[in-house]
Amino acid sequence: SDLVDWQYEGRTIRLVDTAGLRRKAPVQEKLEELSTSDTIRSITFAEVVVLVMDEANAFEVQDQQIAGLFERDPHTAPDIELLNTTEELLRLRRQIDAVIASHLQVIDTRDASVSECGRQTRGWLVEELLLGTEDANRYLTVARALPSRPAVGDALAAAQISLDHARVIVTAVHKAPAEIRDVVEKELVKAAEVVDPSALARFARGL
């Protein structure tokens, strides 16, 4: 993303030009996966989002879906559009979860919530942000594993796996003998793309 700061009526405005979004299927190259995650992160923290479309194809299905994600009444949508939009929302949630886990990893490492709020990271999530204990544990389990399990973070950021998948993987890898952890991680990430978290947990127990 490109950042530009400018002044307007005495206020500093930061403009962020992102790389944009495409549907999951065409996102293949590692660089594009990273740029997609960066775009999601920018949207997450923006106060105003401006959607810029290709003039020659201004109303492609993908553009319409992104533009309407937060304002469409599902009761008025055709079935196929409703399915596609929900799929897109779930994909975006996986990428946002990747950003949240990445932020929590840094917060936890720096003890940022301790210095700023007087609470450990889990306590801050539960007591300040009112996150459920199970949700807080799930995020922190994944976040704390990210430095040693980058493949899990990459798969989550690319929306190839969910946060629940990621938790199953890092938990199983932690229990595996040190000499085969990289192999276990690789196999579980691959399996997570085609099975649900419960089935993945059963598969992990059989390794």
Side-chain angles (χ1 to χ4, degrees):
S1 299
D2 296 324
L3 307 179
V4 177
D5 290 334
W6 59 291
Q7 297 292 321
Y8 177 75
E9 295 185 350
R11 298 180 59 188
T12 299
I13 308 295
R14 169 162 291 183
L15 299 178
V16 182
D17 182 17
T18 70
L21 295 170
R22 293 204 289 172
R23 288 183 63 82
K24 181 179 177 180
V27 180
Q28 297 174 348
E29 299 298 329
K30 178 64 177 178
L31 180 60
E32 186 169 2
E33 290 179 3
L34 293 174
S35 68
T36 297
S37 299
D38 189 51
T39 297
I40 296 297
R41 182 170 58 252
S42 297
I43 291 173
T44 301
F45 292 101
E47 294 185 15
V48 177
V49 178
V50 178
L51 177 64
V52 179
M53 297 179 289
D54 184 348
E55 181 181 8
N57 301 283
F59 296 101
E60 289 185 341
V61 173
Q62 171 69 2
D63 293 325
Q64 294 181 47
Q65 287 178 344
I66 294 173
L69 284 179
F70 304 105
E71 61 183 25
R72 179 176 289 111
D73 180 356
H75 298 92
T76 64
D79 289 350
I80 187 62
E81 184 177 326
L82 189 60
L83 292 171
N84 288 338
T85 301
T86 302
E87 178 184 349
E88 184 69 14
L89 284 168
L90 289 171
R91 185 183 70 83
L92 290 172
R93 185 174 73 173
R94 290 182 174 190
Q95 294 182 309
I96 291 172
D97 279 341
V99 176
I100 293 172
S102 179
H103 280 225
L104 287 174
Q105 191 275 321
V106 178
I107 289 171
D108 198 55
T109 300
R110 294 181 182 174
D111 280 336
S113 60
V114 175
S115 61
E116 296 294 330
C117 306
R119 289 179 172 84
Q120 297 292 333
T121 309
R122 181 181 286 102
W124 172 69
L125 289 172
V126 174
E127 297 168 24
E128 293 283 338
L129 301 186
L130 305 182
L131 208 62
T133 301
E134 179 61 24
D135 288 334
N137 288 338
R138 182 166 58 249
Y139 274 117
L140 284 176
T141 298
V142 174
R144 289 168 175 168
L146 290 180
S148 60
R149 298 292 131 206
V152 174
D154 290 345
L156 184 57
Q160 295 168 345
I161 66 174
S162 69
L163 188 67
D164 287 323
H165 285 120
R167 186 187 190 185
V168 169
I169 295 169
V170 299
T171 300
V173 170
H174 179 72
K175 295 178 180 178
E179 62 271 16
I180 65 169
R181 286 176 181 171
D182 289 345
V183 175
V184 172
E185 178 186 21
K186 180 180 179 180
E187 291 301 315
L188 290 180
V189 168
K190 182 178 179 181
E193 296 182 17
V194 294
V195 299
D196 64 77
S198 296
L200 183 66
R202 292 193 296 270
F203 175 70
R205 288 193 292 269
L207 291 178

